[in-house]
Amino acid sequence: MQADWIWGLAGGLVIGLGGAVFLLGNGRIMGASGIMGGLVDGTGRNTAAERLAFIAGVMLLPMVLMLFLPGKAATHLTSNAALIITAGLLVGAGTRVANGCTSGHGVCGISRFSLRGLTATVFYILAGGLTIAVLRHGLGVI
Amino acid sequence: MRLLLAFTAGGLFGTGLFLSGMTDTRKVQGWLDVFGDWDPTLAFVMGGAIVPMAIAWRLTKGRKPLVGGSFPAPATGKAGHRLILGSVLFGMGWGLVGLCPGPAMASLAYGGWGGALFLLSMAAGMLVAPKLAVQLDRMAAKA
C-alpha cells in the first residue's frame, strides 16, 4: 500500500511523457476518447493510421509488461454484465459529448491551464464520487 | 515517422497506465470513494502526468511539431452545457465500474470478457453521442 503512490507518481510521469511525445512530435493532444472516438464514428478517417498506431502502443505495451509484472495485470472489474454495458455506454457517450476524458481534459487540458479541461475534470470526478456514494454506501448495489 | 511517434506515445501512455495501477478498477473506484477506504493514488498519477505535459506545452511556444503542421490552438468557447453534462454522464459511468477510455484500452490483454464488453459498449456510446448532444442542446435551449 505504501508503495502505491510511488508507482502512481512514476506511472503518471510516464503517461505525461507519452502526452509530451504526441504533442511535440505529432502536434496532437493525447486524449484517449478522442483518438478512439474518431475511429469509431469515422470523423478521424484522415488520421486513422496515426490513431491506430497510438492505440496499438496503448494495448501492446501492457501486454508485454504483464509478463514481467503479473501482479499489476488485474482489473478487478465487476462481473455484472448489465453494469458493464451501462457504464460503457455512459463513458462512450459522455466523453464524446464533452469532447474529452481523463487524459484529454484532465492531463492535457489542466497542464495548459484550460478552464474547459479543469471544469470537465471537476464535474466527472464529482459525478463519479456521487455515483459511488449513492450506489455503494446509499443503496449498497456496487 | 508520424506513425512511429504515435506508437511511442501510445506505448508510453499504456506503460504509465499499467505501472500506476490505473487499470485496476479497485484503485480508481477507491479514489472516488471518499466515504469508504479512500485511495489517493489517482491524484499522484494525475499530478505526475501534468508535470511533463506542462513542460511540453511551454516548449510548443515559437516551435512547430516535429512532423510539421501546427500545434492545437486552445479550445475557444466557454464551458457550456455539452462539456458539463457530457462530463457528468462520463463520471457516472466511470464511478459505476472504475474504467475510463485509456485504461479500458490498456487492459485489453488481461481485462477478460468484461473488459472487452466495456470497450464494445463504449464504442456504441460513442456512436450515439452526436444524437445525444443535439438532444441536450434542445433541453438546454428550453431551460
Side-chain angles (χ1 to χ4, degrees):
Chain A
M1 190 68 201
Q2 278 164 320
D4 280 9
W5 70 269
I6 302 178
W7 281 111
L9 190 62
L13 286 167
V14 179
I15 292 170
L17 209 58
V21 168
F22 211 36
L23 179 66
L24 297 173
N26 296 24
R28 301 256 181 235
I29 288 177
M30 188 187 74
S33 58
I35 294 168
M36 179 178 157
L39 283 176
V40 171
D41 64 18
T43 52
R45 212 172 291 131
N46 298 334
T47 49
E50 185 179 46
R51 292 165 190 268
L52 284 170
F54 180 88
I55 292 174
V58 177
M59 289 179 172
L60 285 176
L61 265 290
M63 208 176 280
V64 175
L65 287 166
M66 66 187 275
L67 303 175
F68 302 97
L69 291 162
K72 288 211 169 282
T75 57
H76 298 116
L77 182 65
T78 173
S79 55
N80 183 333
L83 217 55
I84 294 175
I85 293 172
T86 309
L89 288 170
L90 284 169
V91 170
T95 52
R96 288 302 272 166
V97 169
N99 204 20
C101 57
T102 337
S103 46
H105 279 316
V107 175
C108 298
I110 291 176
S111 61
R112 84 189 300 194
F113 309 107
S114 154
L115 185 65
R116 283 175 52 87
L118 186 66
T119 306
T121 304
V122 167
F123 275 95
Y124 64 68
I125 288 180
L126 279 178
L130 262 172
T131 301
I132 295 256
V134 171
L135 294 185
R136 180 171 287 174
H137 300 290
L139 304 171
V141 288
I142 59 169
Chain B
M1 186 64 176
R2 179 177 279 275
L3 297 186
L4 188 69
L5 284 167
F7 180 80
T8 306
L12 287 166
F13 184 44
T15 300
L17 288 171
F18 179 85
L19 293 179
S20 63
M22 288 300 103
T23 65
D24 184 346
T25 60
R26 283 206 296 224
K27 294 200 76 61
V28 174
Q29 288 190 314
W31 153 260
L32 294 170
D33 190 4
V34 283
F35 300 112
D37 188 13
W38 189 63
D39 184 335
T41 309
L42 191 139
F44 286 94
V45 183
M46 240 339 167
I50 284 172
V51 173
M53 263 323 283
I55 297 170
W57 280 119
R58 289 210 78 122
L59 290 175
T60 59
K61 293 206 173 81
R63 288 189 178 83
K64 287 198 171 307
L66 221 59
V67 298
S70 54
F71 288 114
T76 47
K78 56 181 175 40
H81 63 273
R82 280 193 184 196
L83 183 90
I84 290 170
L85 295 174
S87 295
V88 167
L89 293 176
F90 161 43
M92 287 165 63
W94 191 40
L96 216 48
V97 301
L99 278 177
C100 54
M105 293 194 270
S107 64
L108 185 71
Y110 50 88
W113 64 266
L117 181 62
F118 182 86
L119 264 181
L120 284 175
S121 311
M122 193 169 87
M126 287 173 164
L127 284 174
V128 303
K131 283 207 175 87
L132 178 66
V134 172
Q135 203 64 41
L136 292 175
D137 290 349
R138 271 195 215 125
M139 281 166 56
K142 274 186 206 157

